[in-house]
Amino acid sequence: MRNNIDGHFLLIGLMAYPIRHSLSPQMQNTIYSKLKVPYVYLAFEVDQKKLPDAIKGIRALGLRGSAVSMPNKQLVCQYLDKLTPAVEMSGACNTISNDNGVLTGYNTDGMGYMRMLKEANIDVIGKKITILGAGGAATAIVVQAALDGVKEITVFNQKDECYTKIEAIAKKLNQNTQCHVRVIDLVDKDKLRKEISDSVVLCNATGVGMKPLEGKSLITDPTMLPPDLVVTDCIYSPRKTKLLEIAEQQGCKILNGIGMMLWQGAAQIKIWTGEDAPIDYVKEQMGFND
């Protein structure tokens, strides 16, 4: 615990509901302590009703910025002064930077996912990936992957409100990037098998595999996963979901959501402080090397 906090320290928030379970405060404060930078990161339980006042609080109290998580990622965009291209495309923001009263919205979730792949020596630029899900995490990954140069992305989701939203985002990306994005109903298992077969990466960006769906997987037939496929899961608790267990048994390389969580946080820290986060140090301190 830091014992040198004085009047020169600045506050960075995390606004979501619920949020007390998050590992982000531990991770961020571990990094600030290591870097010896004058920032403190605290979680605030802010729902959509409280969000407008919370944004006013960022300006009034002079917070350096704030992370934003569910259920506020989309709603927050209307209260900010500037949005990055990734936020404009996805309609979701997870990071606010306060620069002399000007609030800029970023989305580092997709950045974190792409950096996780790079650090694992997985090259997806100019290639094809398949994504399960169309919620906030999936949307961020799809947008960032398209902006970074992934050639083709296939998204599978059940036909619900998120399906309609990701269709609209896919249309934008198809018109404004070199990436071809298609959206397919998750019930079509034959198409799912076909799309996976010529992808370099399969990503689960749904909550299937974590509580209350721990032990479940959207992929139940192991033969859908060729051994040269990389299988990733945005979930980090449990560290090995049912999908990753199935993939590992098939000989696939697997990655859980810890890397994405760490690298999206590192991207936030770069925005707020200009410093590069010591990720290896964080992994050691938080037991992620086990």
Side-chain angles (χ1 to χ4, degrees), residues 1-2 9 23-37 39-42 261-262 269 276-288:
M1 182 176 293
R2 305 181 76 169
F9 273 63
L23 293 176
S24 291
Q26 180 185 357
M27 180 194 77
Q28 296 262 351
N29 287 311
T30 296
I31 291 171
Y32 299 146
S33 181
K34 176 67 174 177
L35 294 175
K36 295 184 171 62
V37 293
Y39 296 94
V40 175
Y41 184 103
L42 295 177
M261 185 267 290
L262 290 173
I269 288 166
D276 294 318
I279 294 299
D280 289 339
Y281 174 80
V282 175
K283 287 181 179 179
E284 178 183 343
Q285 292 296 307
M286 297 183 67
F288 291 150

PDB file of all heavy atoms in Angstrom, residues 1-2 9 23-37 39-42 261-262 269 276-288:
ATOM      1  N   MET A   1       0.848  -1.200   0.000  1.00  0.00           N
ATOM      2  CA  MET A   1       0.000   0.000   0.000  1.00  0.00           C
ATOM      3  C   MET A   1       0.883   1.250   0.000  1.00  0.00           C
ATOM      4  O   MET A   1       1.895   1.308   0.695  1.00  0.00           O
ATOM      5  CB  MET A   1      -0.913  -0.007   1.229  1.00  0.00           C
ATOM      6  CG  MET A   1      -1.854   1.186   1.284  1.00  0.00           C
ATOM      7  SD  MET A   1      -3.007   1.104   2.669  1.00  0.00           S
ATOM      8  CE  MET A   1      -3.998  -0.291   2.173  1.00  0.00           C
ATOM      9  N   ARG A   2       0.493   2.254  -0.784  1.00  0.00           N
ATOM     10  CA  ARG A   2       1.295   3.460  -0.879  1.00  0.00           C
ATOM     11  C   ARG A   2       1.103   4.318   0.369  1.00  0.00           C
ATOM     12  O   ARG A   2      -0.003   4.515   0.840  1.00  0.00           O
ATOM     13  CB  ARG A   2       0.900   4.249  -2.125  1.00  0.00           C
ATOM     14  CG  ARG A   2       0.998   3.419  -3.400  1.00  0.00           C
ATOM     15  CD  ARG A   2       0.624   4.196  -4.630  1.00  0.00           C
ATOM     16  NE  ARG A   2       1.682   5.118  -5.038  1.00  0.00           N
ATOM     17  CZ  ARG A   2       1.684   5.753  -6.200  1.00  0.00           C
ATOM     18  NH1 ARG A   2       0.710   5.579  -7.050  1.00  0.00           N
ATOM     19  NH2 ARG A   2       2.667   6.580  -6.507  1.00  0.00           N
ATOM     20  N   PHE A   9      -1.224  14.379  -5.701  1.00  0.00           N
ATOM     21  CA  PHE A   9      -1.738  13.202  -6.401  1.00  0.00           C
ATOM     22  C   PHE A   9      -3.055  13.526  -7.109  1.00  0.00           C
ATOM     23  O   PHE A   9      -3.848  14.330  -6.633  1.00  0.00           O
ATOM     24  CB  PHE A   9      -1.970  12.047  -5.425  1.00  0.00           C
ATOM     25  CG  PHE A   9      -0.741  11.201  -5.199  1.00  0.00           C
ATOM     26  CD1 PHE A   9       0.396  11.742  -4.622  1.00  0.00           C
ATOM     27  CD2 PHE A   9      -0.733   9.870  -5.571  1.00  0.00           C
ATOM     28  CE1 PHE A   9       1.529  10.976  -4.419  1.00  0.00           C
ATOM     29  CE2 PHE A   9       0.388   9.085  -5.372  1.00  0.00           C
ATOM     30  CZ  PHE A   9       1.527   9.645  -4.789  1.00  0.00           C
ATOM     31  N   LEU A  23     -10.617  -6.455 -10.892  1.00  0.00           N
ATOM     32  CA  LEU A  23      -9.177  -6.526 -10.607  1.00  0.00           C
ATOM     33  C   LEU A  23      -8.442  -5.261 -11.036  1.00  0.00           C
ATOM     34  O   LEU A  23      -7.271  -5.089 -10.728  1.00  0.00           O
ATOM     35  CB  LEU A  23      -8.555  -7.727 -11.328  1.00  0.00           C
ATOM     36  CG  LEU A  23      -8.980  -9.120 -10.871  1.00  0.00           C
ATOM     37  CD1 LEU A  23      -8.336 -10.181 -11.755  1.00  0.00           C
ATOM     38  CD2 LEU A  23      -8.610  -9.354  -9.410  1.00  0.00           C
ATOM     39  N   SER A  24      -9.134  -4.368 -11.743  1.00  0.00           N
ATOM     40  CA  SER A  24      -8.461  -3.181 -12.301  1.00  0.00           C
ATOM     41  C   SER A  24      -7.834  -2.269 -11.245  1.00  0.00           C
ATOM     42  O   SER A  24      -6.709  -1.798 -11.437  1.00  0.00           O
ATOM     43  CB  SER A  24      -9.434  -2.386 -13.168  1.00  0.00           C
ATOM     44  OG  SER A  24      -9.743  -3.107 -14.336  1.00  0.00           O
ATOM     45  N   PRO A  25      -8.518  -1.975 -10.101  1.00  0.00           N
ATOM     46  CA  PRO A  25      -7.857  -1.103  -9.113  1.00  0.00           C
ATOM     47  C   PRO A  25      -6.541  -1.683  -8.607  1.00  0.00           C
ATOM     48  O   PRO A  25      -5.544  -0.949  -8.476  1.00  0.00           O
ATOM     49  CB  PRO A  25      -8.902  -1.006  -7.995  1.00  0.00           C
ATOM     50  CG  PRO A  25     -10.203  -1.174  -8.701  1.00  0.00           C
ATOM     51  CD  PRO A  25      -9.931  -2.213  -9.749  1.00  0.00           C
ATOM     52  N   GLN A  26      -6.511  -2.984  -8.342  1.00  0.00           N
ATOM     53  CA  GLN A  26      -5.274  -3.612  -7.881  1.00  0.00           C
ATOM     54  C   GLN A  26      -4.191  -3.501  -8.954  1.00  0.00           C
ATOM     55  O   GLN A  26      -3.044  -3.137  -8.669  1.00  0.00           O
ATOM     56  CB  GLN A  26      -5.517  -5.080  -7.535  1.00  0.00           C
ATOM     57  CG  GLN A  26      -4.268  -5.800  -7.036  1.00  0.00           C
ATOM     58  CD  GLN A  26      -4.504  -7.286  -6.811  1.00  0.00           C
ATOM     59  OE1 GLN A  26      -5.633  -7.786  -6.974  1.00  0.00           O
ATOM     60  NE2 GLN A  26      -3.466  -8.002  -6.434  1.00  0.00           N
ATOM     61  N   MET A  27      -4.548  -3.793 -10.187  1.00  0.00           N
ATOM     62  CA  MET A  27      -3.589  -3.754 -11.279  1.00  0.00           C
ATOM     63  C   MET A  27      -3.059  -2.334 -11.499  1.00  0.00           C
ATOM     64  O   MET A  27      -1.847  -2.105 -11.562  1.00  0.00           O
ATOM     65  CB  MET A  27      -4.238  -4.253 -12.567  1.00  0.00           C
ATOM     66  CG  MET A  27      -3.299  -4.236 -13.763  1.00  0.00           C
ATOM     67  SD  MET A  27      -4.150  -4.426 -15.340  1.00  0.00           S
ATOM     68  CE  MET A  27      -4.833  -2.781 -15.549  1.00  0.00           C
ATOM     69  N   GLN A  28      -3.982  -1.373 -11.601  1.00  0.00           N
ATOM     70  CA  GLN A  28      -3.575  -0.003 -11.903  1.00  0.00           C
ATOM     71  C   GLN A  28      -2.716   0.588 -10.788  1.00  0.00           C
ATOM     72  O   GLN A  28      -1.679   1.213 -11.050  1.00  0.00           O
ATOM     73  CB  GLN A  28      -4.822   0.863 -12.123  1.00  0.00           C
ATOM     74  CG  GLN A  28      -5.657   0.459 -13.330  1.00  0.00           C
ATOM     75  CD  GLN A  28      -5.374   1.295 -14.551  1.00  0.00           C
ATOM     76  OE1 GLN A  28      -4.677   2.306 -14.491  1.00  0.00           O
ATOM     77  NE2 GLN A  28      -5.918   0.893 -15.682  1.00  0.00           N
ATOM     78  N   ASN A  29      -3.124   0.409  -9.551  1.00  0.00           N
ATOM     79  CA  ASN A  29      -2.350   0.988  -8.441  1.00  0.00           C
ATOM     80  C   ASN A  29      -1.000   0.313  -8.261  1.00  0.00           C
ATOM     81  O   ASN A  29      -0.034   0.948  -7.834  1.00  0.00           O
ATOM     82  CB  ASN A  29      -3.174   0.932  -7.152  1.00  0.00           C
ATOM     83  CG  ASN A  29      -4.302   1.948  -7.158  1.00  0.00           C
ATOM     84  OD1 ASN A  29      -4.097   3.120  -7.453  1.00  0.00           O
ATOM     85  ND2 ASN A  29      -5.511   1.505  -6.856  1.00  0.00           N
ATOM     86  N   THR A  30      -0.915  -0.980  -8.595  1.00  0.00           N
ATOM     87  CA  THR A  30       0.373  -1.669  -8.584  1.00  0.00           C
ATOM     88  C   THR A  30       1.323  -1.015  -9.582  1.00  0.00           C
ATOM     89  O   THR A  30       2.511  -0.803  -9.292  1.00  0.00           O
ATOM     90  CB  THR A  30       0.189  -3.161  -8.930  1.00  0.00           C
ATOM     91  OG1 THR A  30      -0.604  -3.788  -7.918  1.00  0.00           O
ATOM     92  CG2 THR A  30       1.535  -3.871  -9.017  1.00  0.00           C
ATOM     93  N   ILE A  31       0.797  -0.674 -10.739  1.00  0.00           N
ATOM     94  CA  ILE A  31       1.616  -0.045 -11.778  1.00  0.00           C
ATOM     95  C   ILE A  31       2.024   1.365 -11.380  1.00  0.00           C
ATOM     96  O   ILE A  31       3.190   1.759 -11.520  1.00  0.00           O
ATOM     97  CB  ILE A  31       0.855  -0.038 -13.117  1.00  0.00           C
ATOM     98  CG1 ILE A  31       0.727  -1.472 -13.649  1.00  0.00           C
ATOM     99  CG2 ILE A  31       1.556   0.853 -14.143  1.00  0.00           C
ATOM    100  CD1 ILE A  31      -0.178  -1.619 -14.847  1.00  0.00           C
ATOM    101  N   TYR A  32       1.084   2.164 -10.864  1.00  0.00           N
ATOM    102  CA  TYR A  32       1.418   3.534 -10.473  1.00  0.00           C
ATOM    103  C   TYR A  32       2.492   3.549  -9.387  1.00  0.00           C
ATOM    104  O   TYR A  32       3.379   4.402  -9.387  1.00  0.00           O
ATOM    105  CB  TYR A  32       0.176   4.270  -9.975  1.00  0.00           C
ATOM    106  CG  TYR A  32      -0.913   4.401 -11.017  1.00  0.00           C
ATOM    107  CD1 TYR A  32      -2.252   4.372 -10.655  1.00  0.00           C
ATOM    108  CD2 TYR A  32      -0.602   4.560 -12.357  1.00  0.00           C
ATOM    109  CE1 TYR A  32      -3.254   4.486 -11.607  1.00  0.00           C
ATOM    110  CE2 TYR A  32      -1.592   4.672 -13.316  1.00  0.00           C
ATOM    111  CZ  TYR A  32      -2.909   4.641 -12.938  1.00  0.00           C
ATOM    112  OH  TYR A  32      -3.897   4.754 -13.880  1.00  0.00           O
ATOM    113  N   SER A  33       2.394   2.601  -8.452  1.00  0.00           N
ATOM    114  CA  SER A  33       3.394   2.510  -7.393  1.00  0.00           C
ATOM    115  C   SER A  33       4.765   2.166  -7.957  1.00  0.00           C
ATOM    116  O   SER A  33       5.783   2.764  -7.581  1.00  0.00           O
ATOM    117  CB  SER A  33       2.963   1.466  -6.364  1.00  0.00           C
ATOM    118  OG  SER A  33       3.902   1.369  -5.312  1.00  0.00           O
ATOM    119  N   LYS A  34       4.797   1.212  -8.879  1.00  0.00           N
ATOM    120  CA  LYS A  34       6.061   0.803  -9.491  1.00  0.00           C
ATOM    121  C   LYS A  34       6.678   1.942 -10.292  1.00  0.00           C
ATOM    122  O   LYS A  34       7.897   2.173 -10.243  1.00  0.00           O
ATOM    123  CB  LYS A  34       5.821  -0.413 -10.395  1.00  0.00           C
ATOM    124  CG  LYS A  34       7.035  -0.885 -11.180  1.00  0.00           C
ATOM    125  CD  LYS A  34       8.120  -1.447 -10.279  1.00  0.00           C
ATOM    126  CE  LYS A  34       9.257  -2.055 -11.081  1.00  0.00           C
ATOM    127  NZ  LYS A  34      10.353  -2.544 -10.225  1.00  0.00           N
ATOM    128  N   LEU A  35       5.836   2.673 -11.019  1.00  0.00           N
ATOM    129  CA  LEU A  35       6.325   3.777 -11.848  1.00  0.00           C
ATOM    130  C   LEU A  35       6.626   5.043 -11.055  1.00  0.00           C
ATOM    131  O   LEU A  35       7.230   5.978 -11.582  1.00  0.00           O
ATOM    132  CB  LEU A  35       5.292   4.110 -12.939  1.00  0.00           C
ATOM    133  CG  LEU A  35       5.040   3.047 -14.011  1.00  0.00           C
ATOM    134  CD1 LEU A  35       3.904   3.481 -14.929  1.00  0.00           C
ATOM    135  CD2 LEU A  35       6.310   2.792 -14.822  1.00  0.00           C
ATOM    136  N   LYS A  36       6.152   5.059  -9.794  1.00  0.00           N
ATOM    137  CA  LYS A  36       6.321   6.239  -8.928  1.00  0.00           C
ATOM    138  C   LYS A  36       5.689   7.487  -9.560  1.00  0.00           C
ATOM    139  O   LYS A  36       6.282   8.577  -9.571  1.00  0.00           O
ATOM    140  CB  LYS A  36       7.799   6.480  -8.616  1.00  0.00           C
ATOM    141  CG  LYS A  36       8.454   5.374  -7.797  1.00  0.00           C
ATOM    142  CD  LYS A  36       9.887   5.732  -7.458  1.00  0.00           C
ATOM    143  CE  LYS A  36      10.499   4.766  -6.468  1.00  0.00           C
ATOM    144  NZ  LYS A  36      10.582   3.376  -6.932  1.00  0.00           N
ATOM    145  N   VAL A  37       4.477   7.300 -10.089  1.00  0.00           N
ATOM    146  CA  VAL A  37       3.741   8.428 -10.655  1.00  0.00           C
ATOM    147  C   VAL A  37       2.605   8.806  -9.704  1.00  0.00           C
ATOM    148  O   VAL A  37       2.044   7.944  -9.023  1.00  0.00           O
ATOM    149  CB  VAL A  37       3.181   8.102 -12.059  1.00  0.00           C
ATOM    150  CG1 VAL A  37       4.319   7.940 -13.050  1.00  0.00           C
ATOM    151  CG2 VAL A  37       2.319   6.855 -12.033  1.00  0.00           C
ATOM    152  N   TYR A  39      -0.580   9.129  -9.120  1.00  0.00           N
ATOM    153  CA  TYR A  39      -1.968   8.828  -9.443  1.00  0.00           C
ATOM    154  C   TYR A  39      -2.507   7.756  -8.509  1.00  0.00           C
ATOM    155  O   TYR A  39      -1.774   6.858  -8.090  1.00  0.00           O
ATOM    156  CB  TYR A  39      -2.100   8.331 -10.888  1.00  0.00           C
ATOM    157  CG  TYR A  39      -1.721   9.355 -11.927  1.00  0.00           C
ATOM    158  CD1 TYR A  39      -0.428   9.397 -12.451  1.00  0.00           C
ATOM    159  CD2 TYR A  39      -2.648  10.290 -12.385  1.00  0.00           C
ATOM    160  CE1 TYR A  39      -0.076  10.339 -13.401  1.00  0.00           C
ATOM    161  CE2 TYR A  39      -2.300  11.240 -13.335  1.00  0.00           C
ATOM    162  CZ  TYR A  39      -1.012  11.256 -13.841  1.00  0.00           C
ATOM    163  OH  TYR A  39      -0.659  12.188 -14.766  1.00  0.00           O
ATOM    164  N   VAL A  40      -3.804   7.848  -8.217  1.00  0.00           N
ATOM    165  CA  VAL A  40      -4.514   6.826  -7.449  1.00  0.00           C
ATOM    166  C   VAL A  40      -5.766   6.448  -8.226  1.00  0.00           C
ATOM    167  O   VAL A  40      -6.457   7.317  -8.771  1.00  0.00           O
ATOM    168  CB  VAL A  40      -4.904   7.334  -6.048  1.00  0.00           C
ATOM    169  CG1 VAL A  40      -5.750   6.304  -5.320  1.00  0.00           C
ATOM    170  CG2 VAL A  40      -3.659   7.666  -5.242  1.00  0.00           C
ATOM    171  N   TYR A  41      -6.049   5.156  -8.273  1.00  0.00           N
ATOM    172  CA  TYR A  41      -7.169   4.632  -9.058  1.00  0.00           C
ATOM    173  C   TYR A  41      -8.186   4.008  -8.114  1.00  0.00           C
ATOM    174  O   TYR A  41      -7.861   3.103  -7.344  1.00  0.00           O
ATOM    175  CB  TYR A  41      -6.611   3.590 -10.028  1.00  0.00           C
ATOM    176  CG  TYR A  41      -7.565   2.976 -11.022  1.00  0.00           C
ATOM    177  CD1 TYR A  41      -7.571   3.381 -12.353  1.00  0.00           C
ATOM    178  CD2 TYR A  41      -8.423   1.941 -10.665  1.00  0.00           C
ATOM    179  CE1 TYR A  41      -8.395   2.793 -13.293  1.00  0.00           C
ATOM    180  CE2 TYR A  41      -9.263   1.345 -11.594  1.00  0.00           C
ATOM    181  CZ  TYR A  41      -9.243   1.771 -12.907  1.00  0.00           C
ATOM    182  OH  TYR A  41     -10.062   1.173 -13.830  1.00  0.00           O
ATOM    183  N   LEU A  42      -9.430   4.489  -8.156  1.00  0.00           N
ATOM    184  CA  LEU A  42     -10.481   3.999  -7.263  1.00  0.00           C
ATOM    185  C   LEU A  42     -11.735   3.640  -8.041  1.00  0.00           C
ATOM    186  O   LEU A  42     -12.048   4.268  -9.064  1.00  0.00           O
ATOM    187  CB  LEU A  42     -10.836   5.055  -6.212  1.00  0.00           C
ATOM    188  CG  LEU A  42      -9.751   5.436  -5.204  1.00  0.00           C
ATOM    189  CD1 LEU A  42     -10.256   6.555  -4.296  1.00  0.00           C
ATOM    190  CD2 LEU A  42      -9.322   4.230  -4.374  1.00  0.00           C
ATOM    191  N   MET A 261      -7.131  -8.080 -20.486  1.00  0.00           N
ATOM    192  CA  MET A 261      -7.383  -7.194 -19.349  1.00  0.00           C
ATOM    193  C   MET A 261      -6.143  -6.365 -19.016  1.00  0.00           C
ATOM    194  O   MET A 261      -6.221  -5.150 -18.811  1.00  0.00           O
ATOM    195  CB  MET A 261      -7.807  -8.015 -18.129  1.00  0.00           C
ATOM    196  CG  MET A 261      -8.212  -7.196 -16.917  1.00  0.00           C
ATOM    197  SD  MET A 261      -6.851  -6.874 -15.748  1.00  0.00           S
ATOM    198  CE  MET A 261      -6.582  -8.512 -15.078  1.00  0.00           C
ATOM    199  N   LEU A 262      -4.977  -6.989 -19.008  1.00  0.00           N
ATOM    200  CA  LEU A 262      -3.748  -6.285 -18.676  1.00  0.00           C
ATOM    201  C   LEU A 262      -3.372  -5.256 -19.746  1.00  0.00           C
ATOM    202  O   LEU A 262      -3.023  -4.114 -19.427  1.00  0.00           O
ATOM    203  CB  LEU A 262      -2.607  -7.282 -18.494  1.00  0.00           C
ATOM    204  CG  LEU A 262      -2.669  -8.184 -17.253  1.00  0.00           C
ATOM    205  CD1 LEU A 262      -1.561  -9.223 -17.301  1.00  0.00           C
ATOM    206  CD2 LEU A 262      -2.573  -7.365 -15.976  1.00  0.00           C
ATOM    207  N   ILE A 269      -3.282   3.451 -19.189  1.00  0.00           N
ATOM    208  CA  ILE A 269      -2.207   4.114 -18.449  1.00  0.00           C
ATOM    209  C   ILE A 269      -1.359   4.985 -19.370  1.00  0.00           C
ATOM    210  O   ILE A 269      -0.932   6.079 -18.997  1.00  0.00           O
ATOM    211  CB  ILE A 269      -1.357   3.061 -17.714  1.00  0.00           C
ATOM    212  CG1 ILE A 269      -2.160   2.500 -16.531  1.00  0.00           C
ATOM    213  CG2 ILE A 269      -0.027   3.637 -17.225  1.00  0.00           C
ATOM    214  CD1 ILE A 269      -1.592   1.255 -15.928  1.00  0.00           C
ATOM    215  N   ASP A 276       4.770   3.701 -20.113  1.00  0.00           N
ATOM    216  CA  ASP A 276       4.560   2.310 -20.510  1.00  0.00           C
ATOM    217  C   ASP A 276       4.423   1.448 -19.262  1.00  0.00           C
ATOM    218  O   ASP A 276       5.275   1.493 -18.369  1.00  0.00           O
ATOM    219  CB  ASP A 276       5.729   1.800 -21.355  1.00  0.00           C
ATOM    220  CG  ASP A 276       5.816   2.517 -22.700  1.00  0.00           C
ATOM    221  OD1 ASP A 276       4.752   2.732 -23.316  1.00  0.00           O
ATOM    222  OD2 ASP A 276       6.941   2.848 -23.122  1.00  0.00           O
ATOM    223  N   ALA A 277       3.360   0.669 -19.202  1.00  0.00           N
ATOM    224  CA  ALA A 277       3.095  -0.154 -18.019  1.00  0.00           C
ATOM    225  C   ALA A 277       4.024  -1.363 -17.970  1.00  0.00           C
ATOM    226  O   ALA A 277       4.228  -2.031 -18.983  1.00  0.00           O
ATOM    227  CB  ALA A 277       1.642  -0.621 -18.027  1.00  0.00           C
ATOM    228  N   PRO A 278       4.584  -1.667 -16.791  1.00  0.00           N
ATOM    229  CA  PRO A 278       5.457  -2.843 -16.632  1.00  0.00           C
ATOM    230  C   PRO A 278       4.619  -4.115 -16.471  1.00  0.00           C
ATOM    231  O   PRO A 278       4.409  -4.611 -15.362  1.00  0.00           O
ATOM    232  CB  PRO A 278       6.243  -2.515 -15.356  1.00  0.00           C
ATOM    233  CG  PRO A 278       5.291  -1.669 -14.556  1.00  0.00           C
ATOM    234  CD  PRO A 278       4.487  -0.879 -15.551  1.00  0.00           C
ATOM    235  N   ILE A 279       4.128  -4.640 -17.582  1.00  0.00           N
ATOM    236  CA  ILE A 279       3.180  -5.752 -17.539  1.00  0.00           C
ATOM    237  C   ILE A 279       3.779  -7.005 -16.905  1.00  0.00           C
ATOM    238  O   ILE A 279       3.104  -7.707 -16.141  1.00  0.00           O
ATOM    239  CB  ILE A 279       2.640  -6.053 -18.950  1.00  0.00           C
ATOM    240  CG1 ILE A 279       1.799  -4.877 -19.444  1.00  0.00           C
ATOM    241  CG2 ILE A 279       1.819  -7.328 -18.961  1.00  0.00           C
ATOM    242  CD1 ILE A 279       0.591  -4.565 -18.584  1.00  0.00           C
ATOM    243  N   ASP A 280       5.037  -7.307 -17.195  1.00  0.00           N
ATOM    244  CA  ASP A 280       5.655  -8.495 -16.586  1.00  0.00           C
ATOM    245  C   ASP A 280       5.682  -8.382 -15.064  1.00  0.00           C
ATOM    246  O   ASP A 280       5.455  -9.363 -14.345  1.00  0.00           O
ATOM    247  CB  ASP A 280       7.077  -8.700 -17.125  1.00  0.00           C
ATOM    248  CG  ASP A 280       7.080  -9.158 -18.573  1.00  0.00           C
ATOM    249  OD1 ASP A 280       6.035  -9.684 -19.031  1.00  0.00           O
ATOM    250  OD2 ASP A 280       8.114  -8.988 -19.249  1.00  0.00           O
ATOM    251  N   TYR A 281       5.947  -7.188 -14.569  1.00  0.00           N
ATOM    252  CA  TYR A 281       5.953  -6.950 -13.126  1.00  0.00           C
ATOM    253  C   TYR A 281       4.560  -7.163 -12.540  1.00  0.00           C
ATOM    254  O   TYR A 281       4.404  -7.783 -11.480  1.00  0.00           O
ATOM    255  CB  TYR A 281       6.433  -5.527 -12.848  1.00  0.00           C
ATOM    256  CG  TYR A 281       6.341  -5.100 -11.397  1.00  0.00           C
ATOM    257  CD1 TYR A 281       7.300  -5.494 -10.475  1.00  0.00           C
ATOM    258  CD2 TYR A 281       5.288  -4.293 -10.954  1.00  0.00           C
ATOM    259  CE1 TYR A 281       7.224  -5.105  -9.140  1.00  0.00           C
ATOM    260  CE2 TYR A 281       5.201  -3.888  -9.635  1.00  0.00           C
ATOM    261  CZ  TYR A 281       6.170  -4.306  -8.727  1.00  0.00           C
ATOM    262  OH  TYR A 281       6.080  -3.921  -7.412  1.00  0.00           O
ATOM    263  N   VAL A 282       3.536  -6.678 -13.243  1.00  0.00           N
ATOM    264  CA  VAL A 282       2.157  -6.833 -12.762  1.00  0.00           C
ATOM    265  C   VAL A 282       1.764  -8.301 -12.713  1.00  0.00           C
ATOM    266  O   VAL A 282       1.142  -8.765 -11.760  1.00  0.00           O
ATOM    267  CB  VAL A 282       1.179  -6.046 -13.645  1.00  0.00           C
ATOM    268  CG1 VAL A 282      -0.256  -6.298 -13.215  1.00  0.00           C
ATOM    269  CG2 VAL A 282       1.489  -4.565 -13.585  1.00  0.00           C
ATOM    270  N   LYS A 283       2.129  -9.039 -13.748  1.00  0.00           N
ATOM    271  CA  LYS A 283       1.810 -10.474 -13.782  1.00  0.00           C
ATOM    272  C   LYS A 283       2.420 -11.194 -12.577  1.00  0.00           C
ATOM    273  O   LYS A 283       1.782 -12.021 -11.932  1.00  0.00           O
ATOM    274  CB  LYS A 283       2.350 -11.109 -15.065  1.00  0.00           C
ATOM    275  CG  LYS A 283       1.575 -10.752 -16.315  1.00  0.00           C
ATOM    276  CD  LYS A 283       2.190 -11.447 -17.523  1.00  0.00           C
ATOM    277  CE  LYS A 283       1.437 -11.135 -18.805  1.00  0.00           C
ATOM    278  NZ  LYS A 283       2.048 -11.802 -19.972  1.00  0.00           N
ATOM    279  N   GLU A 284       3.630 -10.815 -12.259  1.00  0.00           N
ATOM    280  CA  GLU A 284       4.318 -11.441 -11.119  1.00  0.00           C
ATOM    281  C   GLU A 284       3.642 -11.049  -9.806  1.00  0.00           C
ATOM    282  O   GLU A 284       3.364 -11.909  -8.947  1.00  0.00           O
ATOM    283  CB  GLU A 284       5.779 -10.995 -11.091  1.00  0.00           C
ATOM    284  CG  GLU A 284       6.579 -11.553  -9.933  1.00  0.00           C
ATOM    285  CD  GLU A 284       8.001 -11.025  -9.897  1.00  0.00           C
ATOM    286  OE1 GLU A 284       8.472 -10.496 -10.928  1.00  0.00           O
ATOM    287  OE2 GLU A 284       8.640 -11.124  -8.842  1.00  0.00           O
ATOM    288  N   GLN A 285       3.325  -9.778  -9.643  1.00  0.00           N
ATOM    289  CA  GLN A 285       2.735  -9.296  -8.399  1.00  0.00           C
ATOM    290  C   GLN A 285       1.326  -9.829  -8.170  1.00  0.00           C
ATOM    291  O   GLN A 285       0.905 -10.059  -7.033  1.00  0.00           O
ATOM    292  CB  GLN A 285       2.708  -7.760  -8.396  1.00  0.00           C
ATOM    293  CG  GLN A 285       4.082  -7.107  -8.319  1.00  0.00           C
ATOM    294  CD  GLN A 285       4.795  -7.433  -7.014  1.00  0.00           C
ATOM    295  OE1 GLN A 285       4.268  -7.237  -5.932  1.00  0.00           O
ATOM    296  NE2 GLN A 285       6.014  -7.958  -7.135  1.00  0.00           N
ATOM    297  N   MET A 286       0.569 -10.049  -9.266  1.00  0.00           N
ATOM    298  CA  MET A 286      -0.814 -10.485  -9.146  1.00  0.00           C
ATOM    299  C   MET A 286      -0.986 -11.989  -9.356  1.00  0.00           C
ATOM    300  O   MET A 286      -2.104 -12.493  -9.368  1.00  0.00           O
ATOM    301  CB  MET A 286      -1.704  -9.699 -10.121  1.00  0.00           C
ATOM    302  CG  MET A 286      -1.737  -8.207  -9.825  1.00  0.00           C
ATOM    303  SD  MET A 286      -2.844  -7.267 -10.907  1.00  0.00           S
ATOM    304  CE  MET A 286      -4.454  -7.883 -10.402  1.00  0.00           C
ATOM    305  N   GLY A 287       0.125 -12.684  -9.491  1.00  0.00           N
ATOM    306  CA  GLY A 287       0.067 -14.144  -9.593  1.00  0.00           C
ATOM    307  C   GLY A 287      -0.424 -14.661 -10.922  1.00  0.00           C
ATOM    308  O   GLY A 287      -0.912 -15.785 -11.011  1.00  0.00           O
ATOM    309  N   PHE A 288      -0.252 -13.868 -11.996  1.00  0.00           N
ATOM    310  CA  PHE A 288      -0.753 -14.290 -13.307  1.00  0.00           C
ATOM    311  C   PHE A 288       0.254 -15.143 -14.058  1.00  0.00           C
ATOM    312  O   PHE A 288      -0.018 -15.578 -15.171  1.00  0.00           O
ATOM    313  CB  PHE A 288      -1.125 -13.082 -14.158  1.00  0.00           C
ATOM    314  CG  PHE A 288      -2.332 -12.354 -13.662  1.00  0.00           C
ATOM    315  CD1 PHE A 288      -2.473 -10.988 -13.867  1.00  0.00           C
ATOM    316  CD2 PHE A 288      -3.353 -13.023 -13.007  1.00  0.00           C
ATOM    317  CE1 PHE A 288      -3.605 -10.321 -13.426  1.00  0.00           C
ATOM    318  CE2 PHE A 288      -4.466 -12.361 -12.541  1.00  0.00           C
ATOM    319  CZ  PHE A 288      -4.608 -11.003 -12.753  1.00  0.00           C
TER     320      PHE A 288
END
